[in-house]
């Protein structure tokens, strides 16, 4: 699917683009390319847009980091990719996501770079808590985003506190009132922001509700597809586990059979060795007995010759 993000102009396109209808010469092209690269270095040229800008108090940094990873790593179900949502064609991924700790770690105030990131973001995600309500930084980011992107969606996630303006209120003022063209709150037009609450709902539900809103599709539809995908993965995992179990069982049976054959062969070899030793011992004993018999026969014959009178000479 073709990416819906605005793409950067390449250096070649920028260098060869005519300024008055006439092609640029080699020197002019090089000069234009140099200017373009300088603008890139200074952050003047707009880069690729962001799927979302996460605004948060640094006390809620852990939640912001989790949201950042959860949004960027989420793969939209294939059945929804390419369909038309409330904000255009549903993409396969929601990337990149801007979070100022990563993108502008050295920024000390809401300057041109941060305003540029807000202007290039297609949605704003506000991590709401009493700390966020008290943060002028978060309030300014919400106001600036609404001023620069009046038609873009703003989403809220409750990380702490309760909805409202009280001591434990979590919504910044810019979320409770419409903002005029100058970024000031219009008290004649109150808002009632809806936000999934991490204190009540699990992370999985909050993530899916937020992503469904960013994609512009109903939560039930996304949740249904997600459940199907989880069941499919579970079925694949189960089948793979069964196949692995069967394979291991077969290998175990083969190994056991081979072990039994080897044991029988060892026992047979041991018997043959014992029989060979017994045959050798028997042969040695027979040899010894034969030698003893021969010696006894010789001794008996010698003794018989010495004592037999018939064998002595006759007297005169």
């Amino acid at each position: 699917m073709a990416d819906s993000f605005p793409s950067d102009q390449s250096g070649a396109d920028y260098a060869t683009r005519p300024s008055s209808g006439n092609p640029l010469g080699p020197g002019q092209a090089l000069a234009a390319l140099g200017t373009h690269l300088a603008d890139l270095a200074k952050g003047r040229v707009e880069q690729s847009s962001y799927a979302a800008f996460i605004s948060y108090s640094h006390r809620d940094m852990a939640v912001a980091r989790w949201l950042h990873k959860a949004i960027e790593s989420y793969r939209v179900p294939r059945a929804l990719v390419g369909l038309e949502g409330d904000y255009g064609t549903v993409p396969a991924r929601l990337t990149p996501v801007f979070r100022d700790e990563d993108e502008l770690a050295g920024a000390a105030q809401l300057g041109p770079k941060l305003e540029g990131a807000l202007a290039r973001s297609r949605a704003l995600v506000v991590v709401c808590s009493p700390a966020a309500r008290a943060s002028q930084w978060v309030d300014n980011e919400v106001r600036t985003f609404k001023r620069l992107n009046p038609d873009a969606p703003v989403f809220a996630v409750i990380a702490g506190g309760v909805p409202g303006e009280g001591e434990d209120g979590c919504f910044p003022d810019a979320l409770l009132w419409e903002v005029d063209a100058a970024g000031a709150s219009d008290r004649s037009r109150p808002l009632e922001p809806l936000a999934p609450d991490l204190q009540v709902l699990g992370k999985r539900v909050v993530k899916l509700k937020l992503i469904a809103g960013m994609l512009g599709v109903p939560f039930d539809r996304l949740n249904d597809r997600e459940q199907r995908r989880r069941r499919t993965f579970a079925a694949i995992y189960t089948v793979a586990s069964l196949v692995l179990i069967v394979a291991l069982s077969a290998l175990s049976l083969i190994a056991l059979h081979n072990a039994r054959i080897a044991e029988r062969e060892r026992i047979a070899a041991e018997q043959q060795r014992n029989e060979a030793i017994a045959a050798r011992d028997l042969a040695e004993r027979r040899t010894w007995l034969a030698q003893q018999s021969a010696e006894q026969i010789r001794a008996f014959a010698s003794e018989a010759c010495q004592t037999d009178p018939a064998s002595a000479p006759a007297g005169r």
Side-chain angles (χ1 to χ4, degrees), residues 138-139 142-143 146 171-179 185 191:
V138 174
D139 191 70
V142 177
R143 293 180 188 277
K146 286 186 172 183
F171 293 140
D173 283 343
L175 288 181
L176 296 174
W177 308 94
E178 289 285 3
V179 174
S185 296
L191 298 174

Side-chain angles (χ1 to χ4, degrees), residues 8 27 47 55 58 66 74 98 128 139 145 161 195 198-199 214 217 226 285 289:
D8 300 337
Q47 301 298 304
S55 178
H58 282 277
W66 168 73
Y74 184 76
F98 184 99
C128 301
D139 191 70
F145 181 83
L198 278 169
Q199 303 168 110
M214 295 175 65
V217 299
E226 183 68 17
R285 182 169 181 79
L289 290 174

Side-chain angles (χ1 to χ4, degrees), residues 53-57 98 124-128 132 137-139 141-142:
F53 183 109
I54 298 179
S55 178
Y56 65 100
S57 166
F98 184 99
L124 178 68
V125 178
V126 185
V127 180
C128 301
W137 181 279
V138 174
D139 191 70
E141 287 177 340
V142 177

